Amino acid sequence: MSYAVASAAVLVAMILVLTRALKGPTVFDRILAVNAFGTLTVLLIAVVGFLQGRPEFLDLALVYALINFIGTIAVTKFINFQDMGHGSTAESDPGDI
Amino acid sequence: MPAVDPFYLDILTWLFVIPGCVLLIIGCIGMITLPDVFARMHGAGIIDTLGLELILVGLMFQAGSWIVAVKLALILAFVFFTSPTATHALARACLGAGVTPKVDDQQSAALSRRGRS
Amino acid sequence: MVHAFSLACGLAALWWLLSGYTIPLILALGAGSIITVVAIAMRMDVVDHEGHPIHVTFRWLTYMPWLGKEIVMANIDVAKAIIFGGSRIHPIVMRVKATQKTELGHVIYANSITLTPGTVTLAVEDGVMTVHALTRGGADGLKTGEMDRRCTAVEGAPGGES
Amino acid sequence: MMHRKVVLRVVSKFLIPPILLFALYVQWHGDFGPGGGFQAGVIFGSGFILYALLFGVDAVKQVAPPWLTRLLLAIGVLMYGGTGVACLLLGGNYLDYNVLAHDPVHGQHLGILLVEAGVGITVAAAMVTIFNVFAGHSQDGRRGL
Amino acid sequence: MTAFYAFFLTLPGAAAIEPHLPVLQVIVPLLTAPFCVVFRNGRVSWAWATAVSWLVLFTSLVLLGKVLAGGMIIYEIGNWPPPWGIEYRIDAANALVLVIVSAIGAITLPYAYKSVEKEIPESRTYLFYLMYMLCLTGLLGITVTADAFNLFVFLEISSLSSYVMISLGQSRRALTAAYRYLVMGTLGATFYIIGVGLMYMMTGSLNMTDLATLLPAVENTRTVLAAFAFVVVGLGLKLAIFPLHTWLPNAYAFAPSTVTVFLASTATKVAIYALLRLTFTVFGNTQLFATTGVQELLIGLALVAMFAGAFVAIFQNDVKRMLAYSSVSQVGYMVLGIGIGTAAGLSGGIVHLFNHAVMKGTAFMAMGAMLYVIGSVSLKDMAGIGRRMPVTTAAFLVSGLSLIGTPLTVGFISKWQLVQAALVQDWWFIAAGILLSSLLAITYVWRVVEVAYMQPAPADAPRGEAPWQMLVPMLIMAAATIWYGIDGDTTLRIAGEAAKALIGGRP
Amino acid sequence: MTEAFKPIYDLWLQFEAFMAGPGSPGLFGYWIVIALMMIGFYIVITHDNLIKKIVGLNVFQVSVFLFYILMAKVTGGTAPILADGIKQYSNPLPHVLILTAIVVGVATTALGLALVVRIRNAYDSIEDDEILAVEEAEDK
Amino acid sequence: MIGPLAHMPPGDLMVLALCLPVIGAFVVLGLGRWENARDAASLITACILFYVVTQLYPHVAAGSRPDIVLIDMVPGLSIRLTLEPLGMIFALIASFLWIITTLYAIGYMRGHHEENQTRFYFFFAIAIASAMGVAMSGNMLTLFVFYEMLSVSTYPLVAHHGTEDAKRSGRVYLGILLSTSIGFLLFGMIWTWTLTGTLDFVAGGIIKAEHAQGPMLGVLLALFAFGISKAALMPFHRWLPAAMVAPTPVSALLHAVAVVKAGVFSVVKVIVYIFGIDILSAEPSTDFLLYFAGFNIIAASVVALRQDNLKRRLAYSTVSQLSYVVIAAAILTPLSLIGAAVHIAAHAFGKITLFFAAGAIMVTSHKTEVSQLNGIGRRMPITMAAFTIGALSMIGLPPTGGFVSKWFILQGASAAENWFAICVVVASTILNMGYFIPIIYAAFFRTEDPPAPGGHGHDDHDDHGHGYGIKHDHGEAAWPMSVAISITATLTITMFFKPQIAVGLAKQMMGF
Ligand code: NA
Ligand code: NA
């Protein structure tokens, strides 16, 4: 029961976060939201793993956490000089995070 | 794992999971209601810290084997290290792109513009 | 070399925790894996006091409970701010002193700030952190400098490692 | 000298070795459930990508030179396919591991181990290669993904 | 073909290899592809790919011979019995498609050498050949596999590699074309696996033969109905049936010439084969095709495609694009054959798979040659090209006549078979539609012919033929366009066998 | 439990059953799948931003992964016994399928993003309508 | 059977007859740079071809039907040559008139300083090859192939001048011919094949009562009749006037040698060998053809009356005359069908004479309109005499071939008591007179108009320039043209006195 409650909460949270991801307004809001969504996914995988009695899902959760982190770093690294739809200042240093 | 009455473990789990869920939802609401991306990072912070932690700790009581508990701990540790790092990187990226925080007073407004130096 | 050895030990522990198998094949594979990873890590030049800070382990463990308490408090603070909104939300950008001597120390401090909801480190410079704070409580808590002090303590005596 | 990406650098330096080890753990424990090789490859490759993000593509090219990643890419695929072909040569059908050893169970074990290793190597090498290609190439001075 | 198989058996070692040919057909290109990365040299990769592609062609010819001689070939990967293991199953239908794909693949590579050298930067040519081989692998895999999910995997292997190949085009529009194809292609493939998933849910099997026996029991459930719809729409996207064709014209127009030749002649064909296989083998024992309106839908869309594609083609000034729209129209003929649904209709559709591959290959090869020499395939740059590049233009003319459906070209054979299949069913309007749409084909072909032959060439216009490496494959294809237009019996007979294999004993 | 809350309670039971795995996944899972599918498809179709399209494509694909995971619960769990009594380690099917689909999805996403970057370099835009306008102007 | 080919098997002769013009075409292409050699090659090829065709005549006259299968495409579907009497007539006409037309063309093209002459002779030869193919086709598919080849190969001839106007006309020409043949003819063919499993030309027809009955038969016949738009049944006749932009030798090719002849030839073939007259006369729904053709004759004649441009008037005359063949076939009596066959020949000689004359007038005097021809008979007596003979043949008066064919047609019609056909033939004869007699009258009995002020332009190439650039101080046409005109005019008369070859072959066709 507690797992189900937790998973329900995570799903609700996911929906809330998704609305932010869709609303933006800046690309950074979206990145933040996607990152949070990733964290929630890690949580969901773990909870569902318990719920279904398949703890091997935890490996998957860990992998997901890793990819979430690296993905966020990569996107923030590229966002500054790629200017995905938002004005960047001339002084921005491409290599900098 | 030491043999403990599952009933107490369940109680413990509930004690952790419910606050965790509440914080999770609050953090998400924060991500929606807070004024700008910097402020929303604090909402995300709630999710990444107590929201996640409480639920995972709650699950640990149900682990049933050391190995599962250890894996949960590893996830916790990993998020513990990476989540602030990612948030920090994102904040830097915002400043790098010229997105400055909405702030309440003049001094910090000036600071925020210099913040990326 | 010391760091390489300690890294190998750390990795072996991790392997043991993860695997839990005592089959010779798996153990052999584990040993091979650890050697491979250490070799790659050394090639990458990530095995040093920064990348593998064994020297702070103990002090860090004593710092953790305090940080945990701070995180809980900050969570409650920010949660209130989100729920009740209005005047409780008072975003500011401020600069706080960072007295750590090493980069590792700075990182511990910066991440501690970010890890506590309500404050996010925007920039790390020599001796100064630029921080975005959501609530007055968070900002005031940081201004007391307690966290700075504790992080400096975790860092320990500077210059001892190379 | 204080560097601006200090937080990321220190955290990543700390995380990379465990990540790589975790990848290998997944790799060698993967034969108890198929697909381990792929996940392991992804994790291993991610470790390198994290490194590249921090220290640049050139640094990663020093650790794993392009010729090496390319070679590994090919070796991985060939390990995967070669195991299948080995089955053919030993008189079985393609990927019929039973013929790989005298004992069919050992044969299956060995076959899966080899195939998963091939998959893991391929995926990791592919991730690094793709990242290098996209992050390292630039058109008229602009850096591109 | 059968003789070829007999010849193969006389080769040393043939007996040992022979049982494994179905899997070798796919893994040979798959396992040899990575070497391109190792070579990292355009020329070596080219030579390697060429050698392999001819080996692949050899394999497919042997397989076709074997199928024609002895019926279906079944191969279990890993010796796991279906439904757990993946099974390869070759009958006349896919043996023919294998030959089409591998023959085009083999004949395009010699052509590619010069064309790629001109159109793709040296540093990327090895990547190109790598992708070419992967694409070939994917297409062959789609064709041989009897596993619905495995088909998806191969579909995506071929698609991903084609996206990359298209994006290597010279114009920046190649990038957007590749992107749009990627989006549409991925949607299509995802639709397809949704359909497969639904079938799996109902039957617990992914093996096509297994599905064919299990589906009738559950055919009246909405799930199976939805599965059928998803599969048809998904594959419809891949094969560019109107109105899901929007990705095709730009993808063909802006891809490197070699890619256009290869994809236009093979990719949509294989997708059509997949649709045939799913419709007539997997769902073949159910009544869904006839009762759910899918048949009428396919016929309707095919007719619209035939006209709309050809009509839009008329107004194109870029001839590659014109031919791309013509492909939309020609795909309509093939789908029409599926829609008619009888053995005669199917063989019409299947024979058009082959015939269109040959004629469109010729046409796009001619375009590649023109691009090589005059640097453009725009009508305004083609004035008097008939005299500036007589051989190339003649080859184009042959394929153009075939697109129209002129007798003694392959186009005529397919149209004949299709019209006849429609008339046997008393579907006059379809027969009339096939013929009337040819009139539109006349118009667009004639626009080119007029510019090529009736307009004087500007004095300073570049002239001369493309290198012989390009001419020879082009002429071989043009010759095939005529040869199989004259000897329609061979292809029609195999197509008839294929149709029989697909629909079994039913009429 | 009053009558008024019964439907909500039923829904909850269904949800719980759905999350709990083995057995019938019920309608709940498929609602989610369908919702995700629609959302993803909607994003792909309606958005002009090339990256958003890729995101939509991902959501669409994720719905399929979820779908297969749900199905794994129906059919999974049994290990096939091979001909000469050799037991396989586990039923590879559902996992392999999901994993393969994920690999394909990741590859597609990577390629799509790479294309977007190159498109942006070439057109200075990642808005489909702007790019189309440029291309139409080119056609004339 | 004389000469080197005397002992060649007839099948090989047919292949030779098919290949010769193609070979000639490529020789012409190769000799393109040397005008004289090129034109000589053209002429020599034409002569050899005629010789080859004459070598076939004795076989056919003796009742044998040379037959050879060239290509087996699909079982029941082949490219096959079979020579029967009607085809023999057509082959003889086409190959003979090629010689004359080449002769004429040499004079015309040089006199007119035309461009791209090599292309002209090349495609002319290809068109002849196609016509030979049509004539000798052993089944409907073969006929269709060569029919289409004829359409395509004549396009460059029609659009010869390469002007926008010429190309537009060329498109109309090709557009109508191809769309009707693919839209209707091919449809009808495949339908027939679906019904019968064969497309061979068989005496008595291949469509039997068990294949098709009732209105379906009418629809099928309509598909063939309108699909063969080279027969210029309204409303698909527009291509013929459109093609008037072409040089005159091309008009000759279209109107006399090959194109329209291929059309009516095919119609007769279809009626006789695909349907068979028995099944058609038994089915009332197929009668529409008779009425259509009748309407066509009258309507086209009326239109011709209203044309001032000489070539257009001749073109509409052709539209009308072709329907004589169709109506003759549609009467469905053996006699009328003989008339149809003979009329193909008679019209060929008559109309080619008329076109040659029109072309000669245009090249020599730059006159294109009927209203400009006052008194021209005195400057160009040979030309206008020949024109008169041609006109008489069109009207159907003795001593011309036209009389013979009309005679057969009327006989057939009265035998069938087909009053409609009789009325149409009589009425059209009057109309024909209406548009030919005034020309002859003006040419010989009116005085020449004085030159318009400032209207001089000696080397004006505008051949459809409607009145300006007229030459006034000209004489008879150049000798190659005059010779050609004389020969065709003579043959028109010969057709009256010695109709045996055509009539004999036509009778054989009907099994007499
Ligand atoms: Na195509
Ligand atoms: Na077409």
Side-chain angles (χ1 to χ4, degrees), chain E residues 239-240 247-248 252 260-261 263-269 272 323-324 326-328 330-331 334 356-357 360 364:
Chain E
L239 62 83
W247 58 268
L248 185 141
Y252 283 11
T260 312
V261 170
L263 291 185
S265 310
T266 56
T268 46
K269 312 293 173 294
I272 284 172
L323 292 172
S326 145
S327 277
V328 173
Q330 301 280 331
V331 163
M334 298 171 222
H356 184 245
K360 232 1 138 15
F364 278 123

Side-chain angles (χ1 to χ4, degrees), chain D residues 107-142:
Chain D
Q108 285 225 355
H109 210 129
L110 183 63
I112 292 176
L113 207 68
L114 285 172
V115 165
E116 291 295 342
V119 172
I121 291 172
T122 310
V123 172
M127 283 186 71
V128 175
T129 308
I130 291 172
F131 186 85
N132 283 350
V133 166
F134 286 133
H137 273 269
S138 57
Q139 288 180 339
D140 49 68
R142 300 181 83 156

Side-chain angles (χ1 to χ4, degrees), chain G residues 211-482:
Chain G
H211 298 131
Q213 282 169 334
M216 187 173 160
L217 213 53
V219 173
L220 203 50
L221 181 66
L223 285 176
F224 278 106
F226 291 106
I228 303 171
S229 62
K230 285 199 173 83
L233 268 189
M234 283 180 183
F236 301 113
H237 68 290
R238 287 279 314 142
W239 61 272
L240 197 49
M244 291 312 2
V245 294
T248 302
V250 177
S251 301
L253 178 76
L254 297 179
H255 288 257
V257 183
V259 178
V260 297
K261 291 296 165 298
V264 285
F265 169 80
S266 307
V267 171
V268 176
K269 278 269 239 199
V270 165
I271 287 176
V272 175
Y273 296 117
I274 295 289
F275 287 90
I277 54 178
D278 296 337
I279 194 167
L280 289 180
S281 33
E283 172 53 47
S285 70
T286 58
D287 293 353
F288 74 91
L289 190 58
L290 181 81
Y291 301 108
F292 248 89
F295 170 78
N296 220 32
I297 292 173
I298 305 296
S301 300
V302 172
V303 176
L305 261 178
R306 298 155 51 90
Q307 304 296 322
D308 189 36
N309 182 293
L310 181 56
K311 278 173 81 176
R312 289 185 77 82
R313 188 175 286 194
L314 294 180
Y316 276 100
S317 155
T318 302
V319 175
S320 148
Q321 293 285 327
L322 292 175
S323 288
Y324 274 100
V325 180
V326 178
I327 205 172
I331 292 167
L332 297 172
T333 60
L335 275 178
S336 69
L337 275 157
I338 293 169
V342 176
H343 195 69
I344 291 175
H347 178 252
F349 291 118
K351 194 46 78 48
I352 200 168
T353 310
L354 289 168
F355 267 103
F356 280 176
I361 292 167
M362 190 171 71
V363 171
T364 316
S365 71
H366 296 189
K367 287 175 180 167
T368 55
E369 308 302 299
V370 173
S371 53
Q372 298 166 337
L373 298 181
N374 292 342
I376 198 157
R378 267 160 286 174
R379 285 186 180 275
M380 307 177 70
I382 303 175
T383 305
M384 286 317 292
F387 186 95
T388 309
I389 293 167
L392 289 180
S393 185
M394 291 301 117
I395 298 163
L397 294 176
T400 61
F403 173 77
V404 180
S405 52
K406 262 195 189 170
W407 185 248
F408 275 108
I409 295 171
L410 281 174
Q411 272 190 308
S414 52
E417 297 186 358
N418 193 326
W419 299 110
F420 174 77
I422 294 172
C423 291
V424 166
V425 171
V426 171
S428 78
T429 305
I430 295 162
L431 285 167
N432 290 351
M433 285 177 173
Y435 60 79
F436 276 122
I437 299 294
I439 301 176
I440 299 166
Y441 176 79
F444 287 108
F445 303 108
R446 289 242 177 92
T447 49
E448 206 172 338
D449 296 332
H456 273 262
H458 278 269
D459 262 318
D460 200 318
H461 290 166
D462 191 339
D463 59 348
H464 39 98
H466 303 293
Y468 62 88
I470 292 170
K471 263 176 152 181
H472 288 276
D473 47 349
H474 63 86
E476 188 50 76
W479 73 264
M481 291 197 263
S482 307

Side-chain angles (χ1 to χ4, degrees), chain E residues 310 326 329-330 333 441 444:
Chain E
S326 145
S329 153
Q330 301 280 331
Y333 292 114
Y444 62 73

Side-chain angles (χ1 to χ4, degrees), chain E residues 119-157:
Chain E
E119 292 179 32
I120 295 173
E122 170 82 38
S123 61
R124 288 189 177 174
T125 43
Y126 83 94
L127 181 66
F128 172 83
Y129 290 114
L130 169 70
M131 291 301 159
Y132 188 94
M133 290 176 80
L134 286 179
C135 190
L136 186 63
T137 305
L139 295 174
L140 294 169
I142 296 171
T143 314
V144 289
T145 191
D147 184 279
F149 195 87
N150 193 231
L151 193 151
F152 160 77
V153 175
F154 283 121
L155 192 67
E156 284 301 70
I157 290 178

Side-chain angles (χ1 to χ4, degrees), chain G residues 86-242:
Chain G
L86 186 62
M88 193 68 237
I89 295 179
F90 184 31
L92 281 169
I93 298 169
S95 60
F96 177 71
L97 290 183
W98 189 27
I99 305 176
I100 310 296
T101 315
T102 309
L103 198 63
Y104 180 85
I106 294 168
Y108 180 93
M109 298 301 276
R110 293 185 178 192
H112 222 226
H113 306 286
E114 292 278 358
E115 307 252 333
N116 290 324
Q117 292 194 23
T118 307
R119 185 178 74 192
F120 172 87
Y121 288 113
F122 175 81
F123 280 109
F124 209 106
I126 299 289
I128 295 294
S130 319
M132 299 315 291
V134 171
M136 299 186 294
S137 50
N139 58 31
M140 201 58 216
L141 178 70
T142 316
L143 192 146
F144 179 78
V145 169
F146 288 112
Y147 181 96
E148 297 294 46
M149 204 168 123
L150 185 57
S151 309
V152 174
S153 61
T154 44
Y155 167 84
L157 301 175
V158 172
H160 182 81
H161 293 120
T163 58
E164 225 12 79
D165 191 33
K167 276 197 280 189
R168 200 176 317 115
S169 301
R171 277 180 222 138
V172 171
Y173 172 82
L174 199 65
I176 293 178
L177 289 184
L178 287 188
S179 45
T180 49
S181 64
I182 290 178
F184 302 141
L185 178 57
L186 184 58
F187 189 88
M189 272 166 63
I190 304 180
W191 189 359
T192 308
W193 193 71
T194 313
L195 295 174
T196 64
T198 177
L199 284 176
D200 286 347
F201 293 128
V202 175
I206 53 172
I207 299 176
K208 303 292 177 205
E210 72 260 27
H211 298 131
Q213 282 169 334
M216 187 173 160
L217 213 53
V219 173
L220 203 50
L221 181 66
L223 285 176
F224 278 106
F226 291 106
I228 303 171
S229 62
K230 285 199 173 83
L233 268 189
M234 283 180 183
F236 301 113
H237 68 290
R238 287 279 314 142
W239 61 272
L240 197 49

